[in-house]
C-alpha cells in the first residue's frame, strides 16, 4: 500500500512497483479543479498509479477493506493526517526529507535552505499520531551545495530516500532508533517570507531565491526573481543588498514568461545603481 500526492512522491512509487512489490492500493488526494475550464485534474501520484495499473483511491479508510490486509504502508509526501484507527490496523513507514528531529513538519526542504543548513538528509520512520515523532529505521545525510535550489535538493533527497525504502522492503525494517535531540519544526512557507528585502545580507537573499517563488517589486510592479548569483558572475544585473552586491540572473515580470535579467533590464531602461523593491 502506498500513500502520496505530489510529483516528488512518484519516483518512489514507480521504483517499488518496478522492483516487483505488490502495491495493493494507492491513496492520494482527490482530483482538483484547475485551469480556465476548471477541469478535474488528478494528483501526480494518481496519474502514475493509473499508468501503472495500480488501484487508487482518495479515501484513507479504503485501506481497511483490503483482503488480504496490507502488510505495510509506505507514506511519501501524503499531505494528510492518518487517523489512529487506521494506524492500529496497518503499520506504516514515512519517508521524511530531513534528519529528524530537525525539521519536523510540512516544509523540511525549504526550511533547511532558508536556515543555511549545509547538510540535511532522509529518514525512513515509523508513522505515529504525533507530527513526525516516530522512531527511525534508516537515515542518510545529503549535502546542500552552495547554489542548490529546492527543486534540485528534492530530487537528490528522493533518489536517496527511494533507495532506502527499497532496501527496507527487500531486507526488512529492522529495529528503529528513537529520535535524539531538540525538535525543530518546518512550518509551511508563507508568501510574505518570499518577498526579497534588499536590506538583508546577500547570502540570505540568495537562499530565499533558491527556495523558489521569490518576488520583489520594480516601479510598483511585481517581479519574480528565479535565479541569482553570489558572488556576481557578470551575466546579469547587480543589485545592492545589506551586505555585498548580488547578481540577479533570471526574472519574471507580471503577465510575462521567465526571461534573462539583462533582457528585462534593457526593456525597463535599467541603469547601474538602480534598485529593486520600489
Amino acid at each position: 500500500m502506498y500513500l502520496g500526492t505530489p510529483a516528488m512522491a512518484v519516483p518512489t512509487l514507480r521504483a517499488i512497483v518496478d522492483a516487483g512489490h505488490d502495491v495493493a492500493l494507492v491513496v492520494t488526494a482527490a482530483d482538483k479543479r484547475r485551469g480556465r475550464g476548471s477541469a478535474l485534474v488528478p494528483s501526480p501520484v494518481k496519474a502514475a498509479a493509473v499508468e501503472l495499473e495500480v488501484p487508487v483511491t482518495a479515501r484513507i479508510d479504503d485501506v481497511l477493506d483490503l483482503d488480504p490486509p496490507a502488510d505495510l504502508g509506505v507514506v511519501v509526501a501524503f499531505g494528510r493526517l492518518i487517523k489512529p484507527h487506521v494506524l492500529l490496523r496497518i503499520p506504516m513507514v514515512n519517508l521524511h526529507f530531513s534528519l529528524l528531529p530537525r525539521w519536523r513538519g510540512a516544509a523540511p526542504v525549504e526550511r533547511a535552505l532558508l536556515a543555511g543548513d549545509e547538510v540535511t538528509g532522509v529518514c525512513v520512520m515509523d508513522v505515529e499520531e504525533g507530527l513526525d515523532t516516530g522512531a527511525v529505521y534508516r537515515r542518510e545525510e545529503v549535502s546542500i551545495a552552495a547554489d542548490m535550489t529546492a527543486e534540485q535538493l528534492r530530487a537528490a533527497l528522493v533518489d536517496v530516500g527511494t533507495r532506502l525504502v527499497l532496501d527496507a522492503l527487500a531486507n526488512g525494517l529492522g529495529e528503529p532508533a528513537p529520535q535524539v535531540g531538540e525538535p525543530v519544526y518546518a512550518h509551511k512557507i508563507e508568501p510574505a517570507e518570499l518577498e526579497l528585502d534588499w536590506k538583508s545580507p546577500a547570502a540570505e537573499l540568495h537562499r530565499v531565491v533558491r527556495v523558489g517563488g521569490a518576488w520583489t517589486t520594480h516601479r510598483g510592479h511585481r517581479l519574480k526573481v528565479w535565479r541569482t548569483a553570489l558572488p556576481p558572475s557578470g551575466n546579469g544585473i547587480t543589485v545592492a543588498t545589506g551586505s555585498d552586491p548580488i547578481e540577479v540572473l533570471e526574472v519574471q515580470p507580471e503577465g510575462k514568461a521567465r526571461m534573462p535579467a539583462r533582457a528585462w533590464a534593457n526593456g525597463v531602461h535599467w541603469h547601474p545603481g538602480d534598485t529593486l523593491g520600489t
Side-chain angles (χ1 to χ4, degrees):
M1 184 181 67
Y2 190 86
L3 298 87
T5 298
M8 70 182 303
V10 171
T12 309
L13 171 61
R14 290 189 181 277
I16 291 172
V17 173
D18 290 345
H21 297 288
D22 180 20
V23 181
L25 183 67
V26 166
V27 186
T28 188
D31 296 354
K32 292 186 177 180
R33 295 192 180 277
R34 291 183 179 147
R36 293 182 179 178
S38 296
L40 283 172
V41 178
S43 75
V45 164
K46 179 177 179 178
V50 171
E51 179 189 333
L52 294 167
E53 299 182 346
V54 177
V56 60
T57 181
R59 297 181 66 252
I60 298 178
D61 281 8
D62 286 347
V63 304
L64 302 177
D65 297 328
L66 291 174
D67 187 17
D71 296 324
L72 181 70
V74 175
V75 183
V76 182
F78 184 47
R80 294 157 63 189
L81 292 176
I82 301 171
K83 296 181 180 179
H85 72 279
V86 176
L87 295 176
L88 285 172
R89 293 272 299 274
I90 302 173
M92 297 193 189
V93 294
N94 178 46
L95 183 56
H96 185 79
F97 300 104
S98 79
L99 296 174
L100 294 166
R102 185 169 177 80
W103 303 131
R104 291 177 179 173
V109 175
E110 294 86 351
R111 290 299 174 190
L113 281 179
L114 288 176
D117 292 356
E118 295 181 356
V119 176
T120 186
V122 178
C123 288
V124 178
M125 57 172 288
D126 192 29
V127 178
E128 297 181 342
E129 290 184 48
L131 179 63
D132 299 328
T133 58
V136 176
Y137 294 98
R138 281 165 176 76
R139 63 191 285 133
E140 186 169 325
E141 292 185 354
V142 174
S143 296
I144 303 177
D147 291 318
M148 189 175 251
T149 65
E151 182 179 2
Q152 292 167 335
L153 181 55
R154 282 190 203 97
L157 293 169
V158 168
D159 285 346
V160 172
T162 297
R163 175 166 48 79
L164 295 184
V165 168
L166 291 179
D167 179 70
L169 294 176
N171 301 307
L173 290 171
E175 289 298 319
Q179 297 182 27
V180 178
E182 187 69 25
V184 181
Y185 290 92
H187 301 291
K188 182 180 177 182
I189 302 293
E190 299 296 335
E193 295 180 78
L194 299 176
E195 181 179 5
L196 295 168
D197 179 359
W198 299 99
K199 297 187 294 296
S200 298
E204 183 178 314
L205 293 166
H206 190 48
R207 292 198 295 266
V208 175
V209 172
R210 288 158 55 206
V211 165
W215 63 277
T216 186
T217 55
H218 181 256
R219 298 174 187 167
H221 297 284
R222 196 177 179 106
L223 181 72
K224 288 186 177 180
V225 179
W226 287 108
R227 283 196 305 128
T228 49
L230 193 66
S233 63
N235 296 316
I237 60 171
T238 301
V239 182
T241 76
S243 60
D244 301 320
I246 193 170
E247 187 172 50
V248 177
L249 297 175
E250 186 177 12
V251 299
Q252 183 177 7
E254 285 182 307
K256 296 185 179 180
R258 292 165 63 161
M259 64 178 66
R262 277 192 171 180
W264 169 81
N266 289 336
V268 299
H269 305 294
W270 176 275
H271 298 288
D274 284 357
T275 60
L276 295 172
T278 58

